[in-house]
Amino acid sequence: MSDTIQPEIAERIKQLEKKFKNSGQDLGSYLDGLLYDRYLTYWDYIHLDTLLSLQIPRTHFPDEEIFITYHQITELYFKLIIHELKQIIDDKLQTATFFIEKINRVNRYFRVLIDSFDVMIKGMDREQFLQYRMSLLPASGFQSVQYRMIEIYATPLQHLVNEKERASFEKEESLEVLYDHLYWKSGATDIKTGEKTLTLKQFEYRYTPRMMRIAEQVKNSTIYHKYLDLPEKEKNNAQLIEALRTFDANVNINWLLMHMGAAFRYLNKDKGEVSATGGTNWKKFLPPSFQKIMFFPNLWSEAEKEEWGKQWVTHQFNTAKK
Ligand code: HEM
């Protein structure tokens, strides 16, 4: 074997020397680093040991592990969804092609979440669930900040105000005022006494500053605004409109209904219901047809809005009885 350095290697060393010199660094030291470095492994790269150490049940019921793990899987998908939404928000070029590609990714992630929700609905023993959940009080998926972030990135706060007050807040501009009337806050507040559930109080204490910061930051640049700001030709792109409608229906109807299916399977009783860990009146809070949250109300006809989630509510009520 010859000791001479191959020209293509010499060329790379030259380039490296230039790179490090430009930032006042010494190539020799970096080459030492390379020499002593361990080879990368799969398990180190994806931090497998850390990942697998994060599922820590609070009880000895085996099915609690499924519950924790599936929530974590969902949160990871939420993270990927937010990653795409942020790119649309930051995009300056404003083309339908870019928009469609990103929203289609989001739709793919939501499709996986919707299709896999039967891991929850069918995949756990009800008796075990009803017991281990008592150790989880007052925690609830209601406190998923990433779910709230998806909403805040997608649409102006005006669209997230509770259904009864939404029309009267259409012109309201103060984010603080709007924030206080969001549908999920109303859902976790006793209408008569004005008392908030502990689940909500804790969530607000932990996350209000972050959510207000994001709401302020995207005040005029949510996905809704980004769509409206597109040049007219791009805005009428049928594929884009379809992608946005699918996004809206996936979050605000289809995922919610799957989730509702889980609540019915575990919390519904022939007489009355089991109370939810988050303390909401869940039969009124969870159905999409009651909340009527739409990220893009401008993309739905009046008839479609009227029917929002309705056919499915009947379906869920019926299947839960079986
Ligand atoms: C057996 C499975 C599940 C049951 C029985 C269930 C039950 C509930 C209930 C009753 C609520 C209403 C709030 C409360 O009073 O606690 C709720 C809210 C919520 N849960 Fe779940 N849940 C389940 C699985 C999940 C999973 C896997 C996620 C994923 C992160 C999740 C995320 C949420 C979110 C985001 C809300 C708020 C929904 C909204 O504001 O419309 N849940 N859940």
Side-chain angles (χ1 to χ4, degrees):
M1 213 176 94
S2 121
D3 274 349
T4 49
I5 295 177
Q6 300 292 319
E8 62 272 21
I9 300 291
E11 176 53 31
R12 284 196 184 103
I13 292 176
K14 237 193 233 163
Q15 285 177 11
L16 278 172
E17 206 159 28
K18 204 164 145 199
K19 169 183 166 175
F20 286 112
K21 215 171 171 185
N22 281 344
S23 45
Q25 304 287 296
D26 170 42
L27 171 62
S29 309
Y30 280 86
L31 287 178
D32 279 346
L34 205 55
L35 203 59
Y36 304 138
D37 221 7
R38 278 190 294 118
Y39 284 119
L40 184 64
T41 59
Y42 168 78
W43 54 91
D44 279 342
Y45 180 60
I46 66 155
H47 294 275
L48 187 62
D49 291 340
T50 310
L51 185 66
L52 300 183
S53 72
L54 297 174
Q55 297 71 42
I56 307 166
R58 295 174 67 94
T59 69
H60 63 270
F61 296 101
D63 285 4
E64 193 194 339
E65 191 155 325
I66 306 170
F67 193 64
I68 299 184
T69 310
Y70 188 74
H71 276 81
Q72 292 182 340
I73 292 168
T74 305
E75 290 291 346
L76 287 176
Y77 272 105
F78 285 170
K79 183 175 178 179
L80 288 176
I81 289 161
I82 291 169
H83 184 61
E84 297 302 319
L85 296 181
K86 277 183 176 170
Q87 288 178 63
I88 301 175
I89 289 169
D90 291 342
D91 175 50
K92 299 276 180 285
L93 290 177
Q94 295 278 74
T95 64
T97 321
F98 183 79
F99 218 126
I100 294 168
E101 191 186 311
K102 301 283 150 193
I103 293 291
N104 279 345
R105 287 187 191 179
V106 169
N107 289 342
R108 229 171 272 130
Y109 301 143
F110 259 107
R111 194 186 63 213
V112 173
L113 291 178
I114 292 161
D115 288 350
S116 64
F117 218 95
D118 56 357
V119 170
M120 289 285 93
I121 303 173
K122 297 183 189 142
M124 296 183 296
D125 180 83
R126 187 169 183 268
E127 292 318 308
Q128 285 190 38
F129 176 84
L130 288 175
Q131 294 181 68
Y132 71 69
R133 68 191 283 281
M134 303 316 287
S135 305
L136 315 182
L137 289 162
S140 165
F142 178 91
Q143 296 173 316
S144 164
V145 73
Q146 291 204 104
Y147 188 80
R148 304 298 170 212
M149 281 163 66
I150 292 171
E151 297 181 318
I152 296 176
Y153 280 126
T155 199
L157 292 191
Q158 283 87 345
H159 295 161
L160 301 172
V161 166
N162 71 74
E163 219 260 325
K164 283 204 180 85
E165 296 180 301
R166 200 170 304 151
S168 56
F169 281 77
E170 217 171 297
K171 302 245 156 21
E172 177 61 57
E173 290 200 356
S174 154
L175 293 180
E176 282 76 17
V177 172
L178 289 164
Y179 182 71
D180 267 341
H181 293 267
L182 296 186
Y183 78 96
W184 48 267
K185 283 210 182 200
S186 311
T189 305
D190 190 308
I191 301 169
K192 283 192 202 113
T193 62
E195 180 71 16
K196 294 174 180 178
T197 62
L198 178 58
T199 307
L200 174 59
K201 282 186 198 161
Q202 290 190 322
F203 181 66
E204 285 182 331
Y205 184 71
R206 173 80 168 84
Y207 288 121
T208 293
R210 187 196 297 190
M211 281 189 292
M212 288 310 294
R213 182 177 49 74
I214 296 173
E216 179 64 41
Q217 186 193 345
V218 300
K219 197 167 49 182
N220 300 310
S221 60
T222 64
I223 303 297
Y224 173 85
H225 293 99
K226 294 297 269 197
Y227 169 72
L228 289 185
D229 288 348
L230 285 175
E232 210 53 38
K233 198 171 118 255
E234 307 281 298
K235 213 179 345 195
N236 292 328
N237 183 307
Q239 264 180 299
L240 176 58
I241 293 173
E242 198 42 44
L244 288 170
R245 280 166 54 99
T246 305
F247 173 36
D248 213 352
N250 271 351
V251 186
N252 295 313
I253 302 180
N254 301 329
W255 186 84
L256 285 185
L257 288 170
M258 285 300 170
H259 176 257
M260 181 79 188
F264 258 91
R265 156 92 207 284
Y266 296 101
L267 304 178
N268 196 42
K269 281 202 296 202
D270 280 346
K271 282 190 190 130
E273 77 235 3
V274 182
S275 52
T277 51
T280 63
N281 179 347
W282 63 269
K283 276 191 181 171
K284 287 215 168 102
F285 177 66
L286 293 179
S289 60
F290 295 167
Q291 300 291 0
K292 289 206 170 186
I293 297 298
M294 289 163 217
F295 294 158
F296 314 110
N298 50 326
L299 297 183
W300 300 98
S301 69
E302 285 312 312
E304 285 171 325
K305 288 184 200 171
E306 191 50 42
E307 287 306 302
W308 197 254
K310 267 189 192 162
Q311 64 283 37
W312 275 89
V313 171
T314 330
H315 169 80
Q316 294 294 333
F317 272 95
N318 292 339
T319 43
K321 279 188 199 148
K322 281 180 195 158

